[in-house]
């Protein structure tokens, strides 16, 4: 699975919607992630500026050609991402 962002819309002090192209199983579709900034500051080990965030979305497996066992196995899949980024 890959995600390439195409736009960011700041929705609050520590929230945003990040839209991009999500590819799974060879199928690419637009997806919007709900993003929350968890913390921003100096990383205690590297002393570089760092941010931590949480992102999530729900998608349908069948939209990406993953049809096995649908509808016996839920078609909706929740994706949660926890990430940290630092300046170089």
């Amino acid at each position: 699975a890959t995600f390439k962002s195409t736009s960011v819309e700041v929705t609050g002090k520590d929230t945003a919607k990040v839209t991009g192209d999500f590819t799974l199983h060879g199928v690419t579709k637009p997806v919007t992630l709900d993003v929350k900034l968890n913390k921003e500051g100096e990383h205690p080990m590297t002393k570089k500026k760092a941010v931590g965030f949480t992102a999530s979305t729900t998608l349908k497996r069948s939209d990406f050609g993953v049809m096995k066992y649908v509808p016996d196995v839920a078609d909706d899949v929740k994706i949660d991402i926890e990430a940290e980024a630092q300046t170089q």
Side-chain angles (χ1 to χ4, degrees):
T2 61
F3 179 79
K4 294 182 181 181
S5 65
T6 56
S7 68
V8 175
E9 175 191 354
V10 176
T11 57
K13 178 182 171 190
D14 59 357
T15 59
K17 292 200 178 281
V18 178
T19 300
D21 297 323
F22 184 80
T23 302
L24 177 68
H25 202 250
V27 177
T28 301
K29 301 247 182 202
V31 170
T32 300
L33 301 173
D34 294 313
V35 179
K36 181 179 182 322
L37 175 66
N38 295 324
K39 188 172 182 181
E40 179 180 6
E42 183 180 86
H43 191 281
M45 295 173 64
T46 64
K47 305 301 182 199
K48 295 179 181 178
K49 183 177 180 179
V51 294
F53 63 91
T54 300
S56 64
T57 193
T58 300
L59 52 86
K60 291 194 176 297
R61 296 185 304 130
S62 59
D63 287 347
F64 294 88
V66 182
M67 304 291 290
K68 194 153 190 157
Y69 304 118
V70 173
D72 296 323
V73 174
D75 194 21
D76 288 344
V77 176
K78 184 168 187 220
I79 297 177
D80 291 314
I81 301 166
E82 298 291 332
E84 178 182 288
Q86 292 184 40
T87 58
Q88 291 191 14

